[in-house]
Amino acid sequence: MIQPRFSNLPPGFRIQRETNTEEFFINMGPQHPSTHGALRLALRMDGETIVELVPHFGYIHRGMEKQAESMSYLQYIALSDRQDYLTAIQNNLGVVIALEKGMNVGVPEKGEYIRVMLQELGRIASHLVFYGCFGGDLGGQTCLLFGFKEREMIHDILEEVTGSRLTTNFFRPGGSRYDVPDTFIPRVKAFLDHLEDAMRDYERFLSKNIIVLERSIGIGVLSKEDAIAYGCSGPVLRASGVEFDVRRANPYSIYDQFDFDIPVFHNGDCYDRYKIRIAEIHESMKILRQCIDKFPKDGPWRSKEKPVRLPVGRYYSEIETAKGLYATYVVAATTGEKPYRIHTRGPSFPHIAALNKMVQGHKVSDLVTIMATLDPVIPEIDR
Amino acid sequence: MQENITLLQYFKRYFKRCITGPWSLMCGLSVSLKYFFDPRRIVTEQYPENRKTLRMHPRYRGRLEMIEDADGNNHCTACGMCERACPNASINVLSTKNIAGKKVLGRYVYHFASCTQCGLCVEACPFGAIRMNQDFEVATTDPNTLEMILNKKEGQG
Ligand code: SF4
Ligand code: SF4
């Protein structure tokens, strides 16, 4: 493994610091572009080195969980789009699975295939945004255009299927809102062929780039123990060497019928967190190709429509979004169409909480790299 | 992280990176140039120029509108299901009574400014009286135009 730049000088060449320095505070954000939203980071600095970091949340808090108490379940599905807007279609599924457990309805086979395909398309779209932002935060604006180019194609497909690019509001208990149009499968097939070609270029562009290597290898190491202790999930956890993916550990929908790998890397640094997302794009493409082969031609795509009313009880669902573990906990105190309380466990909050561990001893420019590889979405934290 | 390496190892690695570094940058640049010169890789749409031919998908959720026939009759019975389904109170169904004393639609008031285009109202309507159209250029300079009355005719049905 290549070591970080400034620490690998031979002993005689290391600069011995004997001067006295004074610590000072600076604010990063809430308008800083690399904090990916309205997030304020208070930094305690020693020269250019970060001693401590304290994140401050709440700049775009909308009280979604409180709002949910006065909403019907269907309206909450539409609201879940607005939590993590990069993986809206996956949030929809998380909520819907919890509701299905309460209503005790199943989903026909075709409905499940539609779900899995849209999930994986959403995952690729989110990881492509990561690719763009990672390159962009390191100063390579070309990546931003590359990543968003393919993401637009996914959103075109989503728009044709669901009616909206970002706020999809598509899944319903027992299936989804519409059947997919006839053009869906050919379009996905053509897109996959295109993406395979494009990813080859994109990896050639960034994966071996010396600037990326020097700025990400050995930067922001998150140890396995810390990753578990902070409750990290998704690619961040797997880049630290823990093989945990809800799709494998606790399969929902029909993920147990597909053949795919869970990529795991062991260094826990920024470069591993980059590589794991590239590897996950390839795994998602693998799942999509299997879906296309096995996609049922006809048959029902949703079970019989029922009013969304849940009996008294507590219902829990967890799914793997592109960012990590997304769990929904629904408490129904009365039988009816309104919840008593809906709680969401989002993946981004633990990642920002672990940020302090990762940045200590690094420079401010490394903080930007580390933030980019955590891929947080702040509106999802400030629900 | 600190590692103890000899000076020789250090310089060996230094010069190796002097070669591989620029080479990796060249690889990246070749990708950029490929995308710069190859006309097949252009994906940009020339938006204001192509607005004559630009059409949204049929499921696209634009502005809410009422399905009316040529005479302006609609299927709405003023049941208010859409009003209840809307998460942000963008619809007010004002009902009235016709001469026979039956409840009919008076005015269907739609607040486009607060609508999030979620489509729940269309889903909730039991009579299929409303739909979402394919308008996507909805910006306006006059906020009063955002308050709309969707039905042309009052008190029928
Ligand atoms: S689309 Fe959604 S927000 Fe708009 S009027 Fe219908 S229910 Fe309300
Ligand atoms: S549009 Fe449909 S749901 Fe709304 S009041 Fe009329 S009939 Fe009822």
Side-chain angles (χ1 to χ4, degrees):
Chain A
M1 199 192 97
I2 312 167
Q3 292 298 318
R5 192 159 31 156
F6 294 109
S7 58
N8 60 11
L9 291 171
F13 283 67
R14 283 190 196 127
I15 300 162
Q16 300 295 324
R17 197 174 57 198
E18 275 145 13
T19 48
N20 289 326
T21 56
E22 219 174 81
E23 290 181 348
F24 63 100
F25 289 90
I26 58 166
N27 260 324
M28 192 165 160
Q31 290 94 1
H32 196 281
S34 76
T35 56
H36 290 228
L39 170 70
R40 180 163 75 96
L41 301 172
L43 307 176
R44 186 146 67 90
M45 309 274 297
D46 180 4
E48 219 195 319
T49 312
I50 298 168
V51 181
E52 195 187 354
L53 175 148
V54 181
H56 289 256
F57 303 113
Y59 284 88
I60 42 169
H61 182 64
R62 290 156 291 171
M64 281 195 178
E65 288 176 10
K66 190 71 194 163
Q67 277 185 53
E69 293 171 16
S70 59
M71 280 184 158
S72 71
Y73 294 114
L74 270 182
Q75 288 171 348
Y76 187 72
I77 299 175
L79 192 62
S80 71
D81 290 338
R82 275 99 185 152
Q83 293 178 350
D84 184 349
Y85 45 80
L86 294 179
T87 59
I89 193 117
Q90 296 174 332
N91 298 354
N92 283 176
L93 186 68
V95 177
V96 162
I97 287 179
L99 299 184
E100 273 168 2
K101 282 188 183 157
M103 290 169 64
N104 207 2
V105 292
V107 186
E109 199 194 0
K110 191 173 178 192
E112 295 279 25
Y113 273 96
I114 296 173
R115 284 187 174 184
V116 169
M117 289 186 80
L118 292 181
Q119 292 292 297
E120 294 309 315
L121 283 175
R123 192 182 314 277
I124 294 176
S126 174
H127 284 340
L128 283 171
V129 174
F130 162 79
Y131 174 89
C133 291
F134 178 64
D137 282 350
L138 291 183
Q141 298 296 326
T142 324
C143 297
L144 211 55
L145 300 177
F146 280 169
F148 275 66
K149 185 161 78 72
E150 265 66 37
R151 174 178 178 257
E152 278 305 299
M153 296 175 188
I154 294 179
H155 281 181
D156 276 342
I157 296 173
L158 283 184
E159 189 179 17
E160 195 182 8
V161 176
T162 70
S164 184
R165 302 177 85 78
L166 277 177
T167 52
T168 48
N169 187 13
F170 185 60
F171 297 123
R172 295 284 179 269
S176 52
R177 192 166 160 199
Y178 305 112
D179 193 3
V180 288
D182 295 339
T183 49
F184 177 64
I185 295 291
R187 271 189 90 155
V188 174
K189 210 183 267 179
F191 169 72
L192 286 180
D193 293 341
H194 173 87
L195 186 66
E196 202 129 309
D197 187 39
M199 282 313 293
R200 212 170 298 129
D201 281 349
Y202 296 172
E203 278 170 60
R204 187 175 146 90
F205 188 76
L206 208 56
S207 295
K208 288 279 173 296
N209 189 311
I210 187 81
I211 300 169
V212 171
L213 295 183
E214 294 277 306
R215 282 194 62 180
S216 65
I217 289 181
I219 302 291
V221 176
L222 182 67
S223 68
K224 194 171 175 175
E225 291 74 31
D226 282 341
I228 296 172
Y230 276 97
C232 298
S233 55
V236 177
L237 182 67
R238 292 194 286 274
S240 295
V242 185
E243 187 176 351
F244 174 76
D245 188 318
V246 186
R247 288 178 291 173
R248 185 57 56 79
N250 185 7
Y252 54 95
S253 197
I254 47 168
Y255 273 109
D256 44 356
Q257 298 178 13
F258 295 103
D259 166 37
F260 61 99
D261 300 329
I262 310 285
V264 178
F265 289 86
H266 294 279
N267 294 329
D269 58 1
C270 287
Y271 190 59
D272 274 7
R273 288 196 283 272
Y274 161 75
K275 274 201 305 194
I276 199 156
R277 288 190 171 94
I278 299 293
E280 282 191 10
I281 291 180
H282 289 290
E283 292 305 321
S284 293
M285 282 158 58
K286 224 157 101 184
I287 297 177
L288 278 170
R289 287 210 191 279
Q290 293 171 32
C291 280
I292 289 173
D293 291 341
K294 293 198 266 179
F295 194 77
K297 286 272 171 335
D298 33 40
W301 45 275
R302 70 169 297 166
S303 59
K304 198 170 163 295
E305 217 165 324
K306 279 203 279 188
V308 185
R309 293 169 66 85
L310 264 66
V312 178
R314 292 150 187 251
Y315 311 104
Y316 177 76
S317 77
E318 56 183 27
I319 63 161
E320 178 86 20
T321 69
K323 306 272 154 54
L325 176 75
Y326 178 91
T328 313
Y329 188 53
V330 180
V331 181
T334 51
T335 304
E337 54 183 35
K338 281 201 176 141
Y340 176 73
R341 173 115 161 75
I342 296 183
H343 177 69
T344 305
R345 186 260 187 224
S348 293
F349 181 77
H351 296 167
I352 299 292
L355 191 55
N356 184 25
K357 267 265 170 352
M358 291 185 235
V359 297
Q360 280 171 3
H362 289 299
K363 305 278 188 280
V364 178
S365 59
D366 295 333
L367 169 60
V368 174
T369 320
I370 297 168
M371 275 292 282
T373 55
L374 289 181
D375 199 14
V377 170
I378 307 304
E380 196 255 279
I381 298 173
D382 291 345
R383 287 183 287 277
Chain B
M1 250 190 287
Q2 303 225 321
E3 57 174 333
N4 289 315
I5 50 170
T6 63
L7 211 53
L8 187 69
Q9 280 170 327
Y10 179 75
F11 279 111
K12 233 162 114 181
R13 194 159 73 194
Y14 180 81
F15 285 115
K16 192 167 156 239
R17 283 195 209 170
C18 282
I19 310 295
T20 57
W23 174 249
S24 72
L25 294 181
M26 284 312 184
C27 283
L29 202 59
S30 73
V31 175
S32 290
L33 289 177
K34 182 167 144 193
Y35 278 79
F36 187 73
F37 285 112
D38 190 347
R40 282 169 305 163
R41 291 178 198 274
I42 297 174
V43 289
T44 326
E45 288 182 21
Q46 300 298 320
Y47 164 55
E49 287 82 17
N50 72 351
R51 64 202 290 194
K52 287 262 171 343
T53 54
L54 191 60
R55 289 282 169 274
M56 286 292 133
H57 300 295
R59 285 180 189 176
Y60 178 77
R61 300 201 290 266
R63 193 155 40 76
L64 190 67
E65 66 179 16
M66 197 151 255
I67 303 171
E68 293 180 324
D69 61 14
D71 302 331
N73 297 318
N74 54 46
H75 298 296
C76 180
T77 57
C79 66
M81 293 298 280
C82 50
E83 194 176 341
R84 278 189 51 201
C86 181
N88 41 34
S90 302
I91 299 173
N92 290 330
V93 181
L94 307 176
S95 61
T96 177
K97 288 217 163 76
N98 66 4
I99 305 164
K102 198 178 154 218
K103 187 172 146 196
V104 290
L105 178 64
R107 284 189 180 166
Y108 194 99
V109 186
Y110 171 51
H111 311 277
F112 189 32
S114 63
C115 174
T116 54
Q117 284 140 330
C118 63
L120 288 174
C121 48
V122 180
E123 210 178 323
C125 180
F127 301 99
I130 44 178
R131 66 167 172 230
M132 312 220 68
N133 68 9
Q134 273 71 48
D135 276 5
F136 58 96
E137 294 170 319
V138 290
T140 174
T141 51
D142 180 8
N144 295 325
T145 59
L146 294 171
E147 304 278 303
M148 302 175 211
I149 293 173
L150 296 187
N151 56 329
K152 290 204 199 69
K153 253 190 192 173
E154 272 187 34
Q156 45 100 28

